[in-house]
Amino acid sequence: MLSEALLVSAPGKVILHGEHAVVHGKVALAAALNLRTFLLLRPQSNGKVSVNLPNIGIKQVWDVGMLQRLDTSFLGLSPTCLFARVTEQGDVSVPTLEQLEKLKKMGDLPRDRAGNEGMALLAFLYLYLAICRKQRTLPSLDMVVWSELPPGAGLGSSAAYSVCLAAALLTACEEVSNPLKDGVSVSRWPEEDLKSINKWAFEGERVIHGNPSGVDNAVSTWGGALRFQQGTMSSLKSLPSLQILLTNTKVPRSTKALVAAVRSRLTKELIDMNQHHLNALGVGHNSLDQLCQVTAAHGLHSKLTGAGGGGCGITLLKPGLEQATVEAAKQALTSCGFDCWETSIGAPGVSTHSAAAVGDPVRQALGL
Amino acid sequence: MLSEALLVSAPGKVILHGEHAVVHGKVALAAALNLRTFLLLRPQSNGKVSVNLPNIGIKQVWDVGMLQRLDTSFLGLSPTCLFARVTEQGDVSVPTLEQLEKLKKMGDLPRDRAGNEGMALLAFLYLYLAICRKQRTLPSLDMVVWSELPPGAGLGSSAAYSVCLAAALLTACEEVSNPLKDGVSVSRWPEEDLKSINKWAFEGERVIHGNPSGVDNAVSTWGGALRFQQGTMSSLKSLPSLQILLTNTKVPRSTKALVAAVRSRLTKELIDMNQHHLNALGVGHNSLDQLCQVTAAHGLHSKLTGAGGGGCGITLLKPGLEQATVEAAKQALTSCGFDCWETSIGAPGVSTHSAAAVGDPVRQALGL
């Protein structure tokens, strides 16, 4: 166990493009975001292990003796039982849900801390026990982790946390060496050590997320930008540093539901997609957005027709649609100041008619 | 010259998809729209030719004798001079701009009727002279044309007008036979006659538009739906009749400018396109639209990052951007209730730091 304090940091990530396309086999590009998580690890001799997460107002202290007994009884029984499976990322053990439940109970984690907060402590406990188990005795230490990253905003804050935990614990236990030399202000680990840090960080991510893609921890470990497609990742060489504004709308969302919605969208609602593609080409207009919104409120799908930038739009009226719905949509469109016709397409071409065959408005207009 | 009155109609069109893609070599689909233009032609014996267009409040009367002299002197001088060029659509004569100017002056068209109104009369005069020139004497007739189609809304109203003119004049001059038999209410022309009607209608479109694609007159002539790509058209077989709501936002636009903007868009502003594609996938959110609008107002381009449906967005800050612009955008975003960070991407991965190497907020948070 190192004797000096360790200060490590790891970046968050943003997806530059392909966030949904990647689910369907296309390329996505993720870049490290220069909002970072910082971890300060101070070796202690007070027989305590304490973790302080000021961002979420959590502080937990364990007795090393208790953890030692827990650890011993736990790992001692059958290390290959607790840390059995070997992942595709290498020789790192993978916790099962059952093992995590057991650890949660034994680790004396407060029951009222559900969700990410409890998971952050559990990830620490898991990595602490798993990484430090090679030590003769578990180390006493004090850890503070603070982040510039907002949690739950899709910016990889849990991965940055896991990467910091893995880097600090592996270094403290001398599984990897501390690259920071005297008089140097910032250092990074050599490639082999980064691989080890990334593997353990991925395990931390699994504790928190269940089934992470591994992209967030990789970006946080190596920085720069990563290209990923169908499970394989590669670093982008010579990425220019790009300045950005990052904005959090603070509107919560479910990634799972959004991914499912995209899958369903890809097989239907083609009119909406077509309209959005035309918007993407810059030929939309506020009036056309309004048209789409007004008809969407009645369950109908619209797109511009023609050059766009205003002009006309069409709204499909599927067979069997209630006439009341059509009337309501027409009324809503008319009250936007739009002209609206209920008509059909696929009409007959040029025709000749008897005078009796045309309607009253036509007869009147033509003086028939 | 037929002795009975003729009543013909022709439909407008809507583009179902591919309105801009077609310019770049992709397929577009146009369908006949069941809003129609009606034309009533009544043979007269008063030595007059009159055209009445009640939609635009135009009525013009010519003296057949004057037109006959005009026609004779004009065509008599050199028919191959006035109607010289042969188009790719067949053996139909093509007016040059110079010839049209001459015709305008000679046809006594009112000088104060610029734009489409004057062009509608000019197209009539051109088709009347060109189609009826094979008659020993030009016919006296009365014509009323009335349309259900709004003009200038991209719905092919001028093509429907040209198709009606061509069908009525060709039938009146017995260049094609009248397909309407006694006791029948609606009839269509045989394929050969439709080809001839379409050719002349295209000439009418050229008078009005200069360089039309030929799609509008083809859809109006044959009805149903047409697939077109790189100048070739084919009819769609067995198109179901689809009910639609057609809405005119009444926002005027320039097709030419929009087509040019699409061309330019295809080579830049990829962030905007990416954002629209994500919207097309249904993972947008009002808050993200707001983010894009607010930054666009400062000339900046944004997209969502991550799963979408809210969450975070990124805005590219190009090198050399004025800091005042960045500050204004940040302020605008903050006043929407969003959190906003000016940061960079392509950041270094996990690092270890000396205590002196981190900023004050980090030192404070970690208790350093």
Side-chain angles (χ1 to χ4, degrees), chain B residues 308-319:
Chain B
C312 288
I314 54 177
T315 307
L316 187 63
L317 304 177
K318 288 186 191 169

Side-chain angles (χ1 to χ4, degrees), chain A residues 18-251:
Chain A
E19 30 272 281
H20 283 276
V22 71
V23 178
H24 304 276
K26 306 292 180 191
V27 172
L29 194 65
L33 174 68
N34 213 10
L35 296 177
R36 305 180 74 89
T37 295
F38 293 87
L39 183 155
L40 179 67
L41 185 154
R42 277 178 291 215
Q44 302 290 314
S45 54
N46 60 1
K48 303 285 180 197
V49 172
S50 68
V51 171
N52 184 2
L53 309 176
N55 295 89
I56 50 178
I58 284 183
K59 190 166 175 149
Q60 176 97 359
V61 182
W62 291 273
D63 189 82
V64 172
M66 184 279 276
L67 290 177
Q68 187 79 39
R69 281 190 302 279
L70 170 69
D71 183 33
T72 309
S73 69
F74 216 24
L75 300 177
L77 274 173
S78 166
T80 51
C81 175
L82 178 60
F83 304 115
R85 283 202 293 134
V86 172
T87 78
E88 68 277 14
Q89 295 223 344
D91 60 352
V92 170
S93 49
V94 174
T96 66
L97 267 184
E98 202 183 344
Q99 289 161 349
L100 287 178
E101 272 310 304
K102 207 166 160 187
L103 190 59
K104 212 167 179 176
K105 204 178 279 177
M106 289 176 163
D108 198 22
L109 291 182
R111 301 213 160 201
D112 57 348
R113 273 179 197 151
N116 293 335
E117 302 173 4
M119 286 309 192
L121 289 178
L122 190 62
F124 165 78
L125 197 56
Y126 171 74
L127 289 180
Y128 172 83
L129 291 173
I131 291 173
C132 302
R133 70 190 160 129
K134 291 184 186 164
Q135 306 283 307
R136 207 150 41 91
T137 56
L138 287 172
S140 172
L141 56 84
D142 174 272
M143 195 179 263
V144 193
V145 189
W146 177 80
S147 186
E148 295 168 342
L149 290 159
L155 300 174
S157 64
S158 71
Y161 172 74
S162 291
V163 170
C164 282
L165 283 184
L169 290 169
L170 286 166
T171 307
C173 293
E174 299 179 272
E175 294 283 327
V176 303
S177 58
N178 187 350
L180 192 72
K181 304 297 169 222
D182 278 351
V184 175
S185 61
V186 184
S187 290
R188 308 201 60 233
W189 285 266
E191 183 63 19
E192 273 311 298
D193 291 348
L194 289 178
K195 281 186 184 164
S196 180
I197 290 168
N198 183 53
K199 279 181 200 168
W200 282 107
F202 183 65
E203 294 315 298
E205 278 279 84
R206 293 181 93 130
V207 171
I208 298 172
H209 284 304
N211 191 23
S213 68
V215 170
D216 289 9
N217 51 281
V219 172
S220 187
T221 300
W222 278 282
L226 284 183
R227 179 189 190 282
F228 58 105
Q229 183 174 25
Q230 296 186 321
T232 64
M233 289 178 237
S234 55
S235 266
L236 250 74
K237 307 297 172 207
S238 67
L239 179 83
S241 175
L242 291 170
Q243 283 298 120
I244 60 160
L245 270 191
L246 174 75
T247 302
N248 186 2
T249 67
K250 296 190 273 190
V251 174

Side-chain angles (χ1 to χ4, degrees), chain B residues 14-32:
Chain B
V14 287
I15 304 286
L16 291 184
H17 74 73
E19 30 271 281
H20 283 277
V22 71
V23 178
H24 303 276
K26 306 293 180 190
V27 173
L29 193 64

